[in-house]
């Protein structure tokens, strides 16, 4: 933090070891009082679903971790906590209710990512676009109302899946990349590594021939994916994003107006 100037840390965890997680969070907050820490607890569904994907007792342990982190969050303005779920064919039906559950119990949001890449469990698949849209609408409705940017993001995620192309120019390899624990650097999770920090400096890898070839391929729209981190960053950098948010605000106003005045809506056909 002292060298990079980083002020916000997002740390995903399975929540299985409450003592280890809470002690580490406490140490970070103590040693780095000027940073904001966001802990992201993985949650695949309610107890039976979550435990079948993770392991027996995982759901109970994650709930215990969430309870302790909630107490810590009430004592520190620099700590935030949320839940992360990956949407797939074995859990999508229960995720809207799960979002309500964590909101009511912990006052925390359930952030959802659509399954991407090749899962370890081969039976996991991406639901249909209709099922995804219904699931995402149910999840976001628990936020009363969901942020405008989140609704735009949701719509673009579905468009990528439907049209199999980059809906907005992907920023992988420019403003966002991936560093794995083993030192491998990727422009995107779904692309091969372009080098390893244990073998070469970052600048040499990031600006090297392999990285440049991949970057050119990305810019030519030769790949597309629904990876939330990359799509989110790409939308943030997209010059039309402010216009899309204005359009979404207008759409909401129209929906509210027509809901309050059904006779007017009928006159529009």
């Amino acid at each position: 933090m002292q060298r990079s100037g980083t002020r916000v840390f997002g740390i995903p965890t399975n929540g299985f070891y409450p003592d280890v997680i809470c002690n580490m969070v406490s140490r970070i907050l103590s040693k780095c009082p000027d940073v904001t820490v966001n802990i992201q607890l993985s949650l695949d569904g309610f107890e039976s679903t979550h435990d079948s994907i993770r392991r027996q007792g995982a759901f109970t342990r994650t709930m215990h971790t969430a309870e302790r982190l909630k107490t810590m969050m009430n004592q520190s303005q620099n700590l935030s906590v949320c839940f992360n779920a990956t949407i797939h064919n074995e859990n999508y039906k229960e995720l809207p209710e799960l979002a309500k559950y964590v909101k009511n119990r912990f006052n925390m949001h359930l952030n959802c990512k659509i399954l991407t890449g090749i899962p370890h469990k081969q039976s996991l698949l991406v639901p249909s676009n209709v099922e995804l849209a219904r699931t995402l609408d149910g999840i976001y409705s628990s936020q009363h109302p969901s942020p405008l940017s989140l609704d735009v993001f949701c719509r673009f995620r579905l468009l990528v899946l439907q049209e199999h192309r980059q809906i907005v120019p992907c920023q992988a390899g420019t403003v966002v990349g991936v560093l794995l624990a083993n030192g491998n650097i990727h422009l995107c999770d779904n692309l091969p590594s372009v080098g390893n920090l244990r073998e070469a400096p970052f600048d040499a890898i990031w600006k090297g021939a392999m990285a440049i070839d991949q970057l050119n391929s990305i810019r030519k729209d030769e790949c597309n994916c629904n990876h939330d981190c990359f799509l989110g960053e790409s939308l943030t950098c997209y010059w039309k994003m402010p216009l899309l948010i204005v359009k979404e605000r207008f759409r909401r106003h129209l929906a509210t107006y027509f809901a309050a005045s059904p006779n007017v809506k009928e006159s529009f056909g």
Side-chain angles (χ1 to χ4, degrees), residues 14-210:
N14 60 17
F16 197 77
Y17 297 103
D19 290 340
V20 174
I21 295 168
C22 293
N23 289 340
M24 183 58 68
V25 171
S26 180
R27 287 180 59 192
I28 294 174
L29 293 173
S30 175
K31 291 182 176 294
C32 307
D34 297 326
V35 306
T36 298
V37 180
N38 175 243
I39 302 299
Q40 304 155 10
L41 296 168
S42 298
L43 194 61
D44 297 304
F46 285 105
E47 186 168 6
S48 60
T49 300
H50 184 77
D51 285 4
S52 69
I53 293 174
R54 302 279 172 166
R55 53 176 139 166
Q56 192 67 32
F59 182 86
T60 299
R61 283 174 172 259
T62 301
M63 294 299 101
H64 184 43
T65 300
E67 291 284 5
R68 292 181 57 177
L69 288 174
K70 179 182 177 181
T71 300
M72 295 175 64
M73 187 169 60
N74 292 335
Q75 299 169 350
S76 173
Q77 295 182 344
N78 294 353
L79 175 64
S80 63
V81 185
C82 66
F83 290 90
N84 282 347
T86 298
I87 305 175
H88 50 74
N89 58 313
E90 294 186 9
N91 71 352
Y92 74 94
K93 293 181 179 179
E94 63 190 83
L95 292 182
E97 284 303 315
L98 186 67
K100 295 178 183 178
Y101 174 80
V102 299
K103 180 68 174 179
N104 293 334
R105 179 171 175 178
F106 303 107
N107 195 27
M108 298 175 187
H109 289 319
L110 177 69
N111 299 322
C112 286
K113 305 178 184 299
I114 301 171
L115 179 68
T116 187
I118 302 175
H120 178 71
K121 189 177 180 181
Q122 297 298 309
S123 62
L124 299 184
L125 302 170
V126 177
S128 70
N129 285 346
V130 173
E131 293 165 335
L132 279 174
R134 187 181 299 116
T135 299
L136 290 169
D137 284 344
I139 292 168
Y140 294 148
S141 66
S142 67
Q143 299 189 24
H144 304 304
S146 59
L148 293 169
S149 58
L150 190 59
D151 285 353
V152 173
F153 179 44
C154 173
R155 190 168 296 113
F156 271 69
R157 280 198 291 182
L158 295 175
L159 281 174
V160 171
L161 286 173
Q162 181 179 349
E163 300 185 13
H164 304 289
R165 65 180 181 88
Q166 292 180 23
I167 304 299
V168 297
C170 182
Q171 297 298 318
T174 52
V175 300
V176 61
V178 179
L179 171 61
L180 299 184
N182 63 5
N184 281 347
I185 293 177
H186 297 252
L187 271 60
C188 171
D189 292 50
N190 296 328
L191 297 175
S193 170
V194 295
N196 190 288
L197 277 182
R198 296 172 181 172
E199 300 171 358
F202 177 80
D203 282 348
I205 297 172
W206 198 248
K207 299 176 183 178
M210 188 178 298

Side-chain angles (χ1 to χ4, degrees), residues 197-243:
L197 277 182
R198 296 172 181 172
E199 300 171 358
F202 177 80
D203 282 348
I205 297 172
W206 198 248
K207 299 176 183 178
M210 188 178 298
I212 291 174
D213 286 344
Q214 283 194 12
L215 184 59
N216 289 334
S217 175
I218 293 170
R219 287 174 173 171
K220 292 177 183 177
D221 197 6
E222 293 179 351
C223 62
N224 63 83
C225 69
N226 59 14
H227 195 301
D228 290 53
C229 296
F230 291 89
L231 183 56
E233 291 293 338
S234 299
L235 270 172
T236 300
C237 297
Y238 190 40
W239 69 272
K240 290 184 179 180
M241 188 60 176
L243 300 176

